[in-house]
């Protein structure tokens, strides 16, 4: 813009110089005034450009999430280790999170007891979601040495690997084993915080991406739904526990989050400030993946700094009015959790209702010339509604307990297609 403006000024002057004999030639004073006007125009244009550069473009939640998420190419085979050994849990939730990404050609579940793992994961929800079609089972070695882990990964042919609840000081062994096996993408979740930086891979590593997540918690709680106040790289609050579902979700999403690539970070219970931040993201319309991407990218620190700046700008009297009592904090936390549970319950009802209608519609089509003769489709659905709801709930994996716990229990505990329990 500046160059064009000066070129315009030069052209004007040149035009004056090459036409000195024309009539009505401007006087030197007029020429000088016009040149000054051109210079003013240049300065105004420069000022406009600088002001435009100062403008901050606000992205929508979807646009911001897209910038923080990477696409995993090639649909590599993914292996998971560190799950399926606890008899009271199925650990299906972590597989559901990974399968929902649509990024993996297949998922290999490494387990010490493959037969038990298969039985736990043969659920209706896994069957209908397509998880079973993508799932393979392989034996895990009893001793997790570098050589045996590398052999396990190499024999299975996996190119991506998630290892859960690893000893924090042995994470380096797992990363080296992955390198030896030709694995490209690795996420290691450690049970506790390590004391050595030697676990990090070297600059010449063959890994395309790696992430080490340290669980700075005393316990992973099974009976708490996903979506609690998790924090990144912060000292844990008095409550040193988080939902197991949150840990599983973060571990699974780490493969796709750009801020998590080639880094090590800790997760803990973030308490009150994390609760506020989580609420602000949900109200803005971020998905769960978007929330985690913002967290890993340092969003909680930015949010806290903004809150502190606002508090400092207030008067002492206004600051006193913003102090939240312990009872109010508990109330806000409870409300947040209730909102999550209510949303999940509403989603459950919608899915079951639709699945029940689909199921009963198929039943009516099969029986309309036999046992359902004389009944319209809607009449049949109304009569058999209770049966349809029960079957739909089983198909979708919903039981009397929250699906997000990863615990599948119903009257038919073997979860196959008959009505009896297998021993």
């Amino acid at each position: 813009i500046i160059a064009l403006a000066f070129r315009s000024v030069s052209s004007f002057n040149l035009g004056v110089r090459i036409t000195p004999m024309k009539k009505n030639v401007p006087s030197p004073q007029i020429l000088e005034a016009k040149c000054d006007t051109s210079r003013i125009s240049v300065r105004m244009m420069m000022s406009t450009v600088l002001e435009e550069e100062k403008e901050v473009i606000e992205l929508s939640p979807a646009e911001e999430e897209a910038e923080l998420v990477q696409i995993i190419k090639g649909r590599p085979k993914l292996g998971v280790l560190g799950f399926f050994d606890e008899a009271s849990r199925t650990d299906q939730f972590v597989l559901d999170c990974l399968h929902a990404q649509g990024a993996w050609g297949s998922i290999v579940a490494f387990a010490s007891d493959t037969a038990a793992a298969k039985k736990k994961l043969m659920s209706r929800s896994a069957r209908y979601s397509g998880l079973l079609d993508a799932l393979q089972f392989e034996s895990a070695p009893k001793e997790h040495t570098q050589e045996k882990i590398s052999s396990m990964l190499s024999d299975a042919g996996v190119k991506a690997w998630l290892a859960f609840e690893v000893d924090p000081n042995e994470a380096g062994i797992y990363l080296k084993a992955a390198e030896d096996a030709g694995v490209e993408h690795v996420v290691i979740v450690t049970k506790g915080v390590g004391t050595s930086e030697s676990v990090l891979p070297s600059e010449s590593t063959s890994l395309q991406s790696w992430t080490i997540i340290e669980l700075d918690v005393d316990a992973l709680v099974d009976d708490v739904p996903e979506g609690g106040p998790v924090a990144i790289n912060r000292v844990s609050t008095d409550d040193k526990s988080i939902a197991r579902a949150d840990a599983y979700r973060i571990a699974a999403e780490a493969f796709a989050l750009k801020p998590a690539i080639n880094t090590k970070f800790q997760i803990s219970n973030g308490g009150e400030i994390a609760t506020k931040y989580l609420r602000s993201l949900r109200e803005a319309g971020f998905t769960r993946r978007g929330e985690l991407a913002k967290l890993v990218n340092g969003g909680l620190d930015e949010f806290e700094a903004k809150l502190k700046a606002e508090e400092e700008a207030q008067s002492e009297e206004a600051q006193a009015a913003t102090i939240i009592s312990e009872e109010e904090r508990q109330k806000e936390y409870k409300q947040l959790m209730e909102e999550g549970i209510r949303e999940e319950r509403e989603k459950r009802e919608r899915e079951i209702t639709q699945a029940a209608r689909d199921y009963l519609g198929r039943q009516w089509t099969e029986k309309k010339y036999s046992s359902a003769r004389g009944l319209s489709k809607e009449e049949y659905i109304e009569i058999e509604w209770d049966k349809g709801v029960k079957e739909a709930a089983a198909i979708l994996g919903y039981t009397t307990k929250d699906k997000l716990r990863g615990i599948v229990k119903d009257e038919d505990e073997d979860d196959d297609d008959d009505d009896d329990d297998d021993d």
Side-chain angles (χ1 to χ4, degrees):
I1 293 173
I2 296 171
L4 288 172
F6 277 112
R7 185 179 301 173
S8 175
V9 175
S10 299
S11 299
F12 170 75
N13 289 335
L14 181 60
V16 172
R17 286 195 297 271
I18 65 175
T19 57
M21 301 305 294
K22 287 186 178 181
K23 295 182 180 180
N24 301 322
V25 174
S27 67
Q29 292 80 7
I30 295 176
L31 289 175
E32 185 177 355
K34 290 187 176 181
C35 288
D36 288 341
T37 301
S38 298
R39 294 189 188 100
I40 293 172
S41 299
V42 172
R43 286 196 294 269
M44 291 176 63
M45 286 187 288
M46 291 174 63
S47 177
T48 301
V49 171
L50 293 174
E51 288 298 325
E52 289 177 353
E53 289 180 351
K54 291 180 181 179
E55 292 182 3
V56 177
I57 300 175
E58 292 188 3
L59 301 178
S60 68
E63 292 170 334
E64 191 170 357
E65 179 177 329
E67 289 194 351
L68 295 173
V69 172
Q70 73 163 357
I71 304 300
I72 300 172
K73 299 179 181 179
R75 295 183 61 78
K77 179 185 286 189
L78 167 70
V80 295
L81 177 70
F83 308 96
F84 320 121
D85 291 331
E86 179 58 48
S88 63
R89 300 192 311 268
T90 68
D91 289 333
Q92 182 180 325
F93 183 62
V94 68
L95 297 177
D96 289 336
C97 292
L98 292 165
H99 179 60
Q101 294 172 352
W104 313 109
S106 59
I107 301 176
V108 181
F110 295 108
S112 57
D113 187 344
T114 56
K118 285 181 182 179
K119 182 175 178 63
K120 288 195 291 186
L121 292 169
M122 290 294 176
S123 65
R124 286 186 176 92
S125 58
R127 188 180 308 130
Y128 281 89
S129 69
L131 173 61
L132 287 183
D133 296 332
L135 198 58
Q136 302 173 19
F137 295 89
E138 296 290 346
S139 296
K142 294 181 179 180
E143 297 180 1
H144 290 180
T145 63
Q146 180 177 334
E147 182 179 355
K148 290 186 176 181
I149 294 174
S150 177
S151 177
M152 174 193 75
L153 297 173
S154 180
D155 292 345
V158 300
K159 292 298 180 181
W161 182 38
L162 165 61
F164 196 79
E165 288 195 308
V166 173
D167 185 314
N169 295 315
E170 294 182 0
I173 295 176
Y174 283 69
L175 287 172
K176 290 176 182 176
E179 286 187 273
D180 294 342
V183 177
E184 298 172 350
H185 309 280
V186 179
V187 174
I188 306 292
V189 183
T190 68
K191 190 176 183 180
V193 178
T195 58
S196 174
E197 292 296 325
S198 62
V199 299
L200 301 180
S202 64
E203 294 182 358
S204 60
T205 180
S206 61
L207 298 173
Q208 293 185 19
S209 69
W210 59 268
T211 304
I212 297 177
I213 304 172
E214 297 179 325
L215 297 176
D216 184 19
V217 297
D218 291 337
L220 297 178
V221 185
D222 294 328
D223 58 354
V224 176
E226 179 198 6
V230 177
I232 303 294
N233 291 334
R234 299 171 71 89
V235 177
S236 190
T237 62
D238 293 337
D239 183 2
K240 292 181 69 67
S241 65
I242 63 172
R244 180 176 294 275
D246 278 319
Y248 284 0
R249 171 73 73 177
I250 295 171
E253 297 293 357
F255 285 106
L257 303 182
K258 289 181 181 178
I261 300 303
N262 298 342
T263 187
K264 180 178 75 170
F265 60 88
Q266 300 170 7
I267 62 175
S268 60
N269 189 313
E272 176 189 346
I273 187 66
T275 300
K276 288 183 178 180
Y277 182 53
L278 180 61
R279 180 183 294 277
S280 71
L281 294 178
R282 288 183 180 174
E283 290 175 350
F286 282 92
T287 64
R288 185 58 177 155
R289 173 179 284 184
E291 292 173 5
L292 297 177
K294 294 275 288 180
L295 272 172
V296 179
N297 202 37
L300 180 56
D301 291 336
E302 295 176 3
F303 178 77
E304 186 176 29
K306 181 180 178 181
L307 287 183
K308 286 183 178 179
E310 292 175 353
E311 290 176 357
E312 290 174 357
Q314 296 174 347
S315 65
E316 294 183 1
E317 181 178 351
Q319 288 180 15
T322 61
I323 298 176
I324 303 175
S325 66
E326 179 63 25
E327 182 179 352
E328 290 172 330
R329 284 197 296 270
Q330 292 297 328
K331 182 179 179 181
E332 184 177 13
Y333 179 81
K334 181 180 179 181
Q335 183 180 356
L336 180 65
M337 301 305 296
E338 288 176 349
E339 287 176 2
I341 294 172
R342 185 179 67 253
E343 291 174 1
E344 181 64 25
R345 184 181 296 116
E346 292 172 354
K347 175 175 174 287
R348 175 185 189 276
E349 294 301 324
R350 289 194 303 269
E351 291 180 351
I352 289 178
T353 297
Q354 185 59 49
R357 290 189 60 83
D358 293 344
Y359 170 78
L360 293 174
R362 292 193 297 270
Q363 292 290 306
W364 177 79
T365 301
E366 295 174 1
K367 300 178 180 180
K368 62 182 179 180
Y369 298 116
S370 56
S371 59
R373 180 187 297 273
L375 295 175
S376 68
K377 181 178 179 180
E378 292 301 322
E379 289 173 337
Y380 180 81
I381 289 175
E382 183 177 356
I383 293 172
E384 299 292 336
W385 183 248
D386 290 342
K387 176 183 176 182
V389 168
K390 183 177 180 180
E391 185 64 24
I395 290 173
L396 294 173
Y398 289 116
T399 62
T400 56
K401 293 188 176 183
D402 198 318
K403 178 187 175 185
L404 295 182
R405 295 185 190 179
I407 303 174
V408 179
K409 289 185 179 179
D410 54 18
E411 294 177 357
D412 179 14
E413 291 184 350
D414 60 359
D415 210 9
D416 54 20
D417 291 330
D418 56 29
D419 294 329
D420 64 322
D421 291 333
D422 297 337
D423 292 334

